[in-house]
Amino acid sequence: MSWDTIRLDRDGGVTTLTVDRPDRLNALNVETLDAMEEALDEAADERTRVLVLAGAGDDAFIAGADIGHMTDLTVPEAQAYAELGHRIARTLETFPAPTIAAIDGYAFGGGCELALACDFRIASEDALLGQTEVDLGIAPGWGGTQRLPRLVDDETARRLILLGERIDGREAAEVGFVGEAVPDGEVHDWVAELADALASQPRHAVVAAKEAINQVYEAPLSAGLAHERRMWSGLFGTHDQREGMTAFLEDREPEFE
Ligand code: COA
């Protein structure tokens, strides 16, 4: 499949979904979101061990939802747009491989919200991040009000969302919005290093552990613990479980599937 405003590139087990509208700072219009949905579906196969979400060009990761598109939306149209954004965020959150947001440049509004749905966020120190919707007379609508307070402390989330504050990558790392802030120009190298490390891990164990971690935000502790017991025992009998343990006993490197 080919799309006009996104790219899907595969390099070994690392699949990169790039939003490719640099003239609009990779803002997300409906065409782009529809293409992302198709691309994520295509990417969710056995070959993908890690998914990277990135923006094309030097200026932006994703400068948010497309304001030109949103200006005249009716309430039902806005609802459909919110649902589309939510579906993509949820697909990233539950994607059957680890996901990394490579945040180089602007990440505003919906761009931040898609990054929040990824497992890892690596930003350049000079990136600029913000849930800036309040400046447009709206509020985050693709999960930002729910995912950001789960990631940073409550008051920081309120400050960012209610004031629409923009923070650079350094401060984003300090408050826990991103995992890592790296020197300008080095984001893609850092992302590649993390992606390679994740891609060489045993696939089923990684996906099962991701699903279990997600339960922290979905379920009460007793249900999360029950999920973990089922997940853990379900890994026994897999090639990677036998190989990992046998390799340890034989004092050699494991060869995972
Ligand atoms: N939706 C639609 N178009 C957008 C956009 C968005 N979210 N963000 C940027 N663009 C467009 C601009 O309209 C401009 O188009 P033009 O060349 O036809 O005028 C182009 O992208 C370049 O942006 P510009 O504003 O000229 O670049 P800048 O470097 O001066 O400023 C930003 C960059 C990111 C600070 C500024 O574009 C901005 O504030 N964008 C909106 C961010 C936002 O509020 N996002 C949340 C949406 S919910």
Side-chain angles (χ1 to χ4, degrees):
M1 261 189 254
S2 77
W3 302 273
D4 290 337
T5 59
I6 64 161
R7 297 196 312 265
L8 194 65
D9 300 298
R10 294 178 185 266
D11 181 9
V14 180
T15 301
T16 301
L17 172 54
T18 305
V19 179
D20 192 7
R21 288 184 86 204
D23 56 324
R24 283 282 179 280
L25 301 180
N26 304 319
L28 301 170
N29 60 1
V30 172
E31 181 195 348
T32 309
L33 291 165
D34 284 343
M36 289 176 84
E37 218 176 4
E38 287 178 14
L40 286 169
D41 190 45
E42 186 174 317
D45 63 13
E46 289 284 294
R47 282 188 290 161
T48 299
R49 309 291 292 252
V50 179
L51 180 85
V52 175
L53 179 63
D58 297 329
D59 298 326
F61 168 63
I62 297 170
D66 193 298
I67 299 167
H69 170 71
M70 290 190 293
T71 307
D72 293 322
L73 292 184
T74 61
V75 168
E77 287 165 348
Q79 199 171 346
Y81 198 46
E83 274 162 16
L84 180 55
H86 268 262
R87 273 205 308 280
I88 290 168
R90 191 66 173 160
T91 302
L92 287 168
E93 191 162 60
T94 58
F95 195 80
T99 52
I100 308 172
I103 304 173
D104 206 5
Y106 299 117
F108 289 146
C112 275
E113 289 173 300
L114 296 190
L116 286 169
C118 290
D119 296 309
F120 299 93
R121 283 157 292 282
I122 296 182
S124 61
E125 290 173 346
D126 296 336
L128 213 51
L129 297 90
Q131 292 296 162
T132 53
E133 289 90 341
V134 77
D135 292 347
L136 301 170
I138 56 171
W142 293 354
T145 65
Q146 302 305 301
R147 293 194 179 95
L148 187 57
R150 283 170 159 83
L151 200 59
V152 305
D153 71 77
D154 185 81
E155 195 166 320
T156 299
R158 287 171 199 266
R159 184 164 56 84
L160 290 168
I161 292 172
L162 305 187
L163 294 172
E165 267 185 19
R166 292 152 169 77
I167 57 174
D168 65 20
R170 280 184 213 89
E171 188 177 350
E174 276 162 25
V175 300
F177 198 152
V178 303
E180 204 107 45
V182 305
D184 220 19
E186 293 184 19
V187 171
H188 296 284
D189 293 341
W190 283 70
V191 167
E193 196 176 316
L194 176 60
D196 286 345
L198 288 164
S200 65
Q201 297 295 93
R203 172 207 299 279
H204 296 297
V206 164
V207 174
K210 168 174 171 167
E211 282 173 13
I213 294 168
N214 282 354
Q215 292 303 304
V216 170
Y217 306 107
E218 304 279 354
L221 180 62
S222 54
L225 292 171
H227 178 102
E228 187 194 75
R229 287 195 295 280
R230 281 194 305 278
M231 173 277 288
W232 188 78
S233 47
L235 289 171
F236 282 75
T238 60
H239 166 275
D240 287 346
Q241 175 262 320
R242 282 202 220 98
E243 168 63 10
M245 294 187 182
T246 307
F248 174 81
L249 294 175
E250 293 174 356
D251 199 19
R252 60 173 173 81
E253 287 298 311
E255 285 180 30
F256 292 125
E257 261 178 356

